[in-house]
Amino acid sequence: MQINIHQTHHTIGDFDAIFTYLKNITENNKNSSELHVFPELFLTGYPLQDLCLQRSFIERYEDLLKKVNALQDSSSPTLLIGGLDYEMDEDGIPFKIKNVIFEFGPKGLRPIYTKKLLPNYDIFDEQKYFSAGSENCIYQFEDKSFGLLICEDMWMSSMHSTDPVKELFEEVENSKIKLDGVINLSASPFYLGKDKTRLIRSSEISKLFGCPFIYTNRVGGEDEILFDGSSFVVNGAKVTHRAKFYQQDILNYILEDFDGERDLEKALNDKVNSWESLFKANIIRNDNGDYRLPELSDEDCEEVLQSIRFGIQEYAKKSGFNKFDVALSGGIDSALVLAIMKLSLLEDQNLEAIFMPGFFSATMSYDLSFEMCKKIGVKLSTFPIKFAHSSLRNQYNDVFKDPMEGLCDENIQSRLRGAILYARSNQRNSMVLNTSNKSELSVGYSTLYGDSVGAISPLGDLYKTEVFALSKYINKKYGNIIPEGIISRPPSAELREDQEDSHSLPEYDVLDTILEGLLSYRLGTKDLIEMGLDSEEVSKVFNLYSRSEYKRKQFCPIIKIKAKSFGTGYRIPICKKN
């Protein structure tokens, strides 16, 4: 028996494309003994948020269901498709929405399983919209039996009152049914390390039921959230089939017998792979006895690089951009963004860099920016802000009788650059890439409407130490496209004389360790101090982090790379007692 695992890539709510895909499948596959499986909520896309409540969306979705139903005939193949099942009141308002698996076949479209576990943490808010199911589904196809799960159903957690894997296992055991496979339809977001965790959990479930575990995932970039695909089949301890990373794909899997040793305990008692473990602080103790972030491996860097490249292109394509602008400063962050964008650039796309020197910009900053752009073949425009800055200073003093000094004078330079950057963006209809990193965002080391501007943030989920690691990896792989002088020079915003980041912040390896503890929600200031981190530095970082929430609320979408990130899954009040 063949199972065709469809790893699909569509825009949310693109019902025409979704229908066309299904129409092609039904017209070109008449083998009734083959089963086709699709990702969670394939019929709509994911995540939907309030979109699933909008009347126009519901009407278009219901039209899609009618068109899909009309495809059925006596020779239709059998499809398992993720979608929504609405129940409406007399006014046509949904009072119940279920996340379901539809079976499509000769008898049309019918829901056969409702997702039991509705995640309500981090980026997920399914309990706000969906009603949970309560019934198992042992699906019979040809002479085979399959247990069905949807995404979160495969994960155990103390936050849920039920464990679908355990309930399915109990029914199978009590009914003395031998499953031929467990099928999971997923829309599972990417973060660094997620793939390994998925495979471990899938192997546990395969060993529990004594059958292959078949996992299909979607591909797509939805604002800041990435879906990497990477669908697979696990049989015991072995990954037997694997779909592509960030690409639409189909796996044609011939169902196999179980290959391995049964384990009736691990899947039902494993706390390591429950969702709670996703938010642990990723801090290790190094050879010197100090607590620090682990270094990104080359494999990590490659995953991060592919993810950022994919995220940028998805956002650009779905927003209608094919031109890009990056503000170069001569520093590591903007250089890395430019390098990533250059590596991502498609044939019909255009990339420009703009260098905007001020009174405090070092000659080296221009030299390094020029060197990099020349090497990678990117147009560099120089737009000095000295004269605009000087004129604004004078006019400000004339109007307010109050000289522009200190932080006000520093920030106006950044805001002038932001205004110039967006003037260029407006003029040529280009997409501005933000160049801030997670360390800066965490402590408010940026200027609202200045260096915080941009359509999307490629580096906003990478700490500064990780920015350096990724830059070095790119140089190693692509031939030193980022000048060594950029990597080795001390980081500086160049907004005042002899300014360096280290004058106002702890060293970045220390800063990033403190931030990782705080942002994971697992370590407080006392814990970090007990770990041997300097108490004054810990307190300073915590206060900077707490006072800068208003900046993060106004920041652009950040491509999500980590389990815990700023953005959709991060909600902290601006007004609070710290």
Side-chain angles (χ1 to χ4, degrees), residues 285-305:
R285 200 164 196 169
N286 63 23
D287 294 339
N288 297 325
D290 299 321
Y291 286 96
R292 295 292 185 266
L293 300 187
E295 293 183 9
L296 293 179
S297 66
D298 284 356
E299 183 180 355
D300 292 336
C301 286
E302 183 60 30
E303 273 197 26
V304 169
L305 179 58

Side-chain angles (χ1 to χ4, degrees), residues 357-391:
F359 286 111
F360 307 106
S361 299
T363 303
M364 179 189 293
S365 297
Y366 172 77
D367 293 341
L368 291 169
S369 298
F370 178 81
E371 177 187 343
M372 180 174 181
C373 288
K374 182 179 180 181
K375 184 162 190 174
I376 64 176
V378 171
K379 177 185 175 183
L380 176 65
S381 300
T382 302
F383 195 125
I385 65 165
K386 294 179 182 179
F387 308 108
H389 182 197
S390 180
S391 177

Side-chain angles (χ1 to χ4, degrees), residues 152-260:
E152 184 82 4
D153 291 340
M154 69 184 279
W155 301 97
M156 63 189 303
S157 168
S158 61
M159 73 171 289
H160 296 302
S161 59
T162 183
D163 180 351
V165 171
K166 182 179 181 181
E167 291 176 353
L168 179 62
F169 180 71
E170 289 173 348
E171 180 174 342
V172 166
E173 290 290 291
N174 293 336
S175 303
K176 300 188 185 309
I177 296 172
K178 172 67 176 72
L179 290 186
D180 296 285
V182 175
I183 299 174
N184 183 290
L185 276 60
S186 277
S188 176
F190 167 85
Y191 64 78
L192 197 59
K194 179 75 166 286
D195 186 62
K196 181 180 178 181
T197 310
R198 286 181 193 143
L199 293 174
I200 291 172
R201 181 62 179 161
S202 299
S203 177
E204 291 172 356
I205 297 172
S206 174
K207 292 176 182 178
L208 174 68
F209 288 97
C211 65
F213 184 88
I214 299 147
Y215 177 94
T216 181
N217 192 24
R218 74 185 297 264
V219 172
E222 310 304 345
D223 302 338
E224 71 257 48
I225 303 168
L226 306 180
F227 296 88
D228 60 306
S230 304
S231 305
F232 55 78
V233 178
V234 167
N235 193 347
K238 301 174 184 175
V239 181
T240 62
H241 293 71
R242 200 69 203 265
K244 295 173 183 175
F245 191 51
Y246 289 124
Q247 295 181 53
Q248 184 166 300
D249 200 4
I250 299 176
L251 293 177
N252 305 121
Y253 168 60
I254 305 300
L255 187 62
E256 305 163 300
D257 292 332
F258 177 66
D259 181 16

Side-chain angles (χ1 to χ4, degrees), residues 12 60 128 225 251 281 535 573:
I12 289 174
R60 292 191 301 119
K128 178 179 177 181
I225 303 168
L251 293 177
S535 60

